[in-house]
Amino acid sequence: MTNFERFYITWYSRAIYFAREYVLSESDAENIAQDVFLHLYEHCDRLDAYTNLTAYLFTSIKNKCLDYLRKRVNEQEAVAEMQSEFDMTLRMKYDSLEILNTNFPDETDIEERLEQALQKLPERCRSIFVMNKLEGKKQQQIASELQISINTVESQMAIAYKKLREELKDCLPLLLFLFTLP
């Protein structure tokens, strides 16, 4: 039996037990111990005779456990952030429905509100918005026709959306519903 085999037999179960104190499952602890022993085996020729192999083993397991826990913390933070964004979106939808004004005399009133909001947009902004949303032109096509950059088209569309959202905030969900139907 080689020195490494004796070391492995002596310390493997202890290494798993040590890792198990810090990680979430037995299988994760086993994976960490196996990874560390494999690394030791592959690099045992680089360790000199004065290396305290037991200290090296437990330091390596400690570091692998820290990596494992760091990854889990980052995953949990990402999940919490996604949940927070979902909650905020849900809240915005709820608030939007709460203030929704559905008391329009008829469809003409809605069209008038939309036309008034469009007229309040700056000229270039309005023409780009109309070309894109009402005429169905692609942003690249608009940029070519008006001899402007696609970034300008995108920024003008963003301005239009922002101003229209502000202007039509009390009936925006209804407008989106009415104007997206076939």
Side-chain angles (χ1 to χ4, degrees), residues 7-23 29 32-37 39-40 47 51-67:
F7 182 77
Y8 179 84
I9 291 169
T10 303
W11 290 102
Y12 182 70
S13 61
R14 295 176 193 174
I16 292 172
Y17 182 78
F18 178 75
R20 181 65 184 103
E21 291 297 314
Y22 300 100
V23 298
I32 288 171
Q34 288 173 2
D35 287 349
V36 169
F37 274 101
H39 178 78
L40 282 173
L47 302 172
T51 301
N52 181 342
L53 210 48
T54 307
Y56 188 86
L57 170 70
F58 284 97
T59 300
S60 297
I61 290 173
K62 173 190 130 184
N63 290 335
K64 285 277 191 187
C65 288
L66 285 170
D67 290 344

Side-chain angles (χ1 to χ4, degrees), residues 134-153:
L134 301 180
E135 296 173 11
K137 294 181 180 179
K138 303 279 185 215
Q139 291 183 354
Q140 184 65 46
Q141 183 182 3
I142 296 169
S144 296
E145 284 183 27
L146 299 178
Q147 297 179 349
I148 57 176
S149 73
I150 193 146
N151 290 338
T152 302
V153 173

Side-chain angles (χ1 to χ4, degrees), residues 38 61 63 70 77 84 97 141 148 150 153 164 170 177:
L38 179 62
I61 290 173
N63 290 335
R70 198 173 295 117
E77 288 173 351
S84 175
L97 277 174
Q141 183 182 3
I148 57 176
I150 193 146
V153 173
L164 289 173
D170 61 336
F177 176 73

Side-chain angles (χ1 to χ4, degrees), residues 163-178:
K163 290 185 182 246
L164 289 173
R165 247 190 320 272
E166 290 169 4
E167 195 65 35
L168 302 168
K169 66 180 172 242
D170 61 336
C171 62
L172 187 60
L174 184 60
L175 285 169
L176 291 174
F177 176 73
L178 291 174

Side-chain angles (χ1 to χ4, degrees), residues 83-95:
Q83 182 63 45
S84 175
E85 288 177 16
F86 174 77
D87 292 345
M88 186 170 40
T89 301
L90 191 61
R91 187 73 194 151
M92 287 172 44
K93 288 180 178 185
Y94 177 83
D95 291 345

